[in-house]
Amino acid sequence: MKSDIVIIGGGASGLMAAIGAALQLNQTENGGTVTVLEKMPKAGRKIMVTGKGRCNFTNVKDWSAFSEHIRTNTNFVSPAFHNLTPEDLVAFFKSNGLPSEIERGDRAYPKSRKSGDVVDALVRTATMHGVKIVTGCEVRSVEASPKGFKLECIKTTVKEFKFKPSETKVEHLDYFASKLIVATGGLSYPGSGSTGDGYVFAEQFGHKIETLFPSLTALVPAGYKSDKSPLVEEMKMAFRGPRNKFGERPRKEKTIKPLPDSYPKLKGHIERVTPVSKFGSLLEGNTLENVQMTLYIDGNEAQTEFGDIEFTDGGLEGPLGFMVSRKAVWAIMNDSKVSVVIDMKPAVELSQLDDDIHNRWKEVQEDPRSAGAPFQKLFRILLGKLIPWDLTLGFLDSNPNVSVDTLASALKNWKMDIEGFVGFERAVVTAGGISTDEIVAKTLESKKQPGLYFTGEVLDMDCDTGGYNLQACFATGFLAGQSAAKEISTQQ
Ligand SMILES: Cc1cc2nc3c(=O)[nH]c(=O)nc-3n(C[C@H](O)[C@H](O)[C@H](O)COP(=O)(O)OP(=O)(O)OC[C@H]3O[C@@H](n4cnc5c(N)ncnc54)[C@H](O)[C@@H]3O)c2cc1C
């Protein structure tokens, strides 16, 4: 099979590369062909899970504010960003039948609130401009020759029948292309198809891969995923709270598979499927809003952020957990000691909080319903007036020696040592990747192999949450597609 431009990977970046290439080729007299090879049965699998199923597809900040959310190689992303700005992307989707709305923090979502509509718009637009999307087609090897590239692929087609078992057909296909765009994504969420194949292709052409590690991922506090015997048992005896009669939450069955053996083994990685301990289960399911979290690396303050924290089956997540995860993961992988300190009352001074606590304690003690109640029960009632009730046992387990006099300080300095992190199996993004030093930022072409382009998450390029990652993937994809197509036009 021949195609002028072949794109490996039908994710955000690959589909946008195809659209950029087709639009550019269609402007020329001779035109040209564009093919996307996607190994999954459908294109855009990862887009489907973005933004909790709503797809926060860009962030409409201007470059100076946007670039503060790019964690590596900001200057490298600049030409692509300016070639397809967030406003351009919003207009692109609108003109292709997908209006959007802008939410808190300049985040853009499709108005329909469905990530599937983003995939449909991309696939429809690409197809309308003549792009061929071949699904179920995994590229196994790539070879370069003076004429271009030869790709060996395995195409799997599954036919479903109503009354008999499905049939699977496996074919070996060769593709020939004069320009090749690698848009295979990173290592995160392997179930979506991104399993790092692009790094292998890149290395083969002499490209350097910067260390790969998960970012925007859950941090696991010490003891969260392994059992310890806490003071909580005592507290539970003193107070029969809501939930079940033991004060515990029913466990949900998880379907996340462990990572394949081919994945790099990272120091500090704790598989998401590892069960939550008793301590973890006391925290899991709780959200802390408008708190401050400071990350410490080897005892030194490394990052302070303000916002919300979610305690999940993975550990510390939510905007704050994710924001500090990049630095924390890197530090843990490099043998540093990592801890976080949560200030649950950042807007209140310590002395004011202390006064407030003592006043409330007086009220609790003087309440006629408190008569004869044990100290633990009354203390938990006091605590429940200051933090979410469901979090009280977990907080007490973490701060076993806290008293009325030290409570203010404990609430403003809830320290947790971090023993590890959830890995690529559930990380939002892969940090590290193909070194941008060896890629031309204005075209996305390899400096090592003419006609070869890299785009999207496979590059050493990662951002914060908030639509920044998809914008970077769309923009680099579009520029790579246009650049490859321009080269074809000039060669014709
Ligand atoms: C849960 C989750 C939520 C997220 N939410 C957001 C969000 O709301 N906003 C945001 O900006 N970012 C978000 N992200 C990040 C964002 O989705 C990714 O950065 C982006 O989708 C990466 O795009 P990509 O095209 O580079 O790679 P991918 O989307 O990973 O696409 C790569 C494609 O290549 C295919 N492929 C790989 N190898 C081969 C091969 N050998 N042959 C053929 N095909 C191959 C894969 O099957 C895959 O379809 C989220 C990520 C996750 C995991």
Side-chain angles (χ1 to χ4, degrees):
M1 312 258 187
K2 273 185 123 181
S3 180
D4 293 307
I5 299 175
V6 165
I7 296 155
I8 313 179
S13 211
L15 290 171
M16 197 50 108
I19 293 167
L23 287 174
Q24 188 69 39
L25 287 174
N26 292 348
Q27 281 176 19
T28 62
E29 222 174 273
N30 295 327
T33 49
V34 181
T35 304
V36 175
L37 304 178
E38 167 54 52
K39 74 172 167 189
M40 300 304 280
K42 281 188 176 170
R45 266 262 175 108
K46 188 171 277 174
I47 299 173
M48 296 299 288
V49 298
T50 58
K52 297 189 174 155
R54 294 178 53 211
C55 187
N56 172 202
F57 69 83
T58 189
N59 190 296
V60 295
K61 287 188 174 58
D62 65 15
W63 173 248
S64 72
F66 187 103
S67 57
E68 283 176 18
H69 296 273
I70 304 175
R71 291 288 148 233
T72 33
N73 302 308
T74 309
N75 292 339
F76 176 81
V77 184
S78 173
F81 177 95
H82 288 100
N83 184 54
L84 183 78
T85 63
E87 285 75 20
D88 294 338
L89 196 57
V90 168
F92 162 85
F93 279 120
K94 191 174 177 204
S95 66
N96 288 292
L98 194 73
S100 41
E101 57 190 18
I102 312 298
E103 296 191 3
R104 191 166 61 104
D106 305 318
R107 296 161 186 240
Y109 292 85
K111 219 172 195 156
S112 66
R113 299 171 168 243
K114 288 187 196 139
S115 53
D117 290 348
V118 175
V119 178
D120 290 348
L122 289 166
V123 170
R124 196 174 53 237
T125 311
T127 316
M128 192 174 77
H129 292 293
V131 173
K132 196 171 168 207
I133 301 174
V134 186
T135 54
C137 186
E138 179 175 351
V139 179
R140 290 285 177 92
S141 71
V142 176
E143 246 176 62
S145 75
K147 284 188 185 162
F149 299 88
K150 179 185 167 199
L151 290 84
E152 281 182 356
C153 312
I154 301 281
K155 166 125 176 77
T156 311
T157 319
V158 181
K159 269 194 186 168
E160 303 280 353
F161 301 100
K162 223 174 182 181
F163 300 110
K164 56 176 188 169
S166 57
E167 273 175 17
T168 305
K169 187 173 142 198
V170 178
E171 296 165 271
H172 290 256
L173 295 178
D174 285 347
Y175 275 86
F176 297 90
S178 33
K179 306 285 169 212
L180 177 64
I181 301 178
V182 177
T184 46
L187 285 169
S188 41
Y189 265 66
S192 69
S194 28
T195 50
D197 301 6
Y199 307 124
V200 181
F201 303 145
E203 272 180 328
Q204 188 191 320
F205 290 103
H207 279 273
K208 185 175 167 220
I209 311 297
E210 301 295 351
T211 308
L212 302 164
F213 62 102
S215 183
L216 309 181
T217 195
L219 298 179
V220 185
Y224 199 92
K225 290 248 190 192
S226 52
D227 260 325
K228 57 179 189 170
S229 162
L231 152 115
V232 163
E233 293 308 314
E234 216 179 292
M235 302 299 300
K236 274 190 209 155
M237 296 308 291
F239 196 102
R240 302 260 178 236
R243 310 195 194 174
N244 67 20
K245 67 176 179 172
F246 305 110
E248 289 164 345
R249 286 170 184 280
R251 308 265 347 115
K252 279 177 270 157
E253 281 305 313
K254 291 288 159 197
T255 52
I256 306 163
K257 286 189 195 148
L259 287 174
D261 284 345
S262 57
Y263 268 59
K265 307 278 174 272
L266 304 180
K267 187 170 185 290
H269 174 210
I270 297 175
E271 289 272 4
R272 181 103 191 193
V273 283
T274 310
V276 173
S277 66
K278 269 188 199 157
F279 166 59
S281 74
L282 294 173
L283 300 180
E284 186 191 348
N286 282 291
T287 300
L288 282 174
E289 286 175 5
N290 300 323
V291 296
Q292 184 174 291
M293 184 156 80
T294 304
L295 173 74
Y296 288 86
I297 298 177
D298 291 329
N300 301 315
E301 192 176 321
Q303 193 176 348
T304 298
E305 302 288 350
F306 178 83
D308 303 347
I309 296 172
E310 286 165 25
F311 293 97
T312 67
D313 61 316
L316 273 177
E317 284 190 67
L320 277 194
F322 280 171
M323 271 190 242
V324 302
S325 66
R326 193 181 199 281
K327 273 191 187 167
V329 170
W330 182 254
I332 294 168
M333 279 170 53
N334 288 287
D335 293 323
S336 288
K337 290 254 170 291
V338 171
S339 59
V340 294
V341 172
I342 301 169
D343 179 350
M344 295 207 268
K345 302 284 171 195
V348 189
E349 291 294 328
L350 181 69
S351 59
Q352 197 189 333
L353 182 61
D354 192 43
D355 289 348
D356 180 39
I357 287 170
H358 279 91
N359 289 338
R360 284 172 191 259
W361 182 232
K362 209 164 160 242
E363 279 167 29
V364 171
Q365 283 180 312
E366 286 171 0
D367 189 316
R369 288 168 296 179
S370 301
F375 169 81
Q376 282 98 330
K377 181 171 177 175
L378 297 187
F379 191 63
R380 193 174 168 207
I381 290 172
L382 169 70
L383 191 56
K385 291 175 185 288
L386 297 155
I387 64 172
W389 176 255
D390 280 357
L391 199 68
T392 49
L393 283 180
F395 178 78
L396 289 167
D397 186 39
S398 214
N399 297 275
N401 299 320
V402 68
S403 67
V404 177
D405 290 338
T406 58
L407 184 55
S409 170
L411 288 173
K412 286 187 79 64
N413 297 285
W414 184 7
K415 184 177 177 215
M416 289 186 205
D417 290 330
I418 302 297
E419 71 176 344
F421 51 85
V422 166
F424 292 115
E425 68 276 15
R426 272 296 178 274
V428 169
V429 78
T430 303
I434 300 169
S435 168
T436 54
D437 293 348
E438 296 156 357
I439 313 282
V440 183
K442 284 186 177 161
T443 60
L444 279 312
E445 191 174 12
S446 159
K447 291 180 187 170
K448 304 250 169 196
Q449 174 66 46
L452 177 64
Y453 298 77
F454 293 99
T455 169
E457 201 177 311
V458 75
L459 291 164
D460 178 19
M461 169 184 89
D462 63 285
C463 313
D464 293 339
T465 52
Y468 307 101
N469 282 297
L470 277 172
Q471 170 65 33
C473 290
F474 283 131
T476 51
F478 195 66
L479 183 55
Q482 280 181 323
S483 313
K486 277 182 193 161
E487 276 288 306
I488 297 233
S489 316
T490 52
Q491 283 165 9
Q492 277 169 351

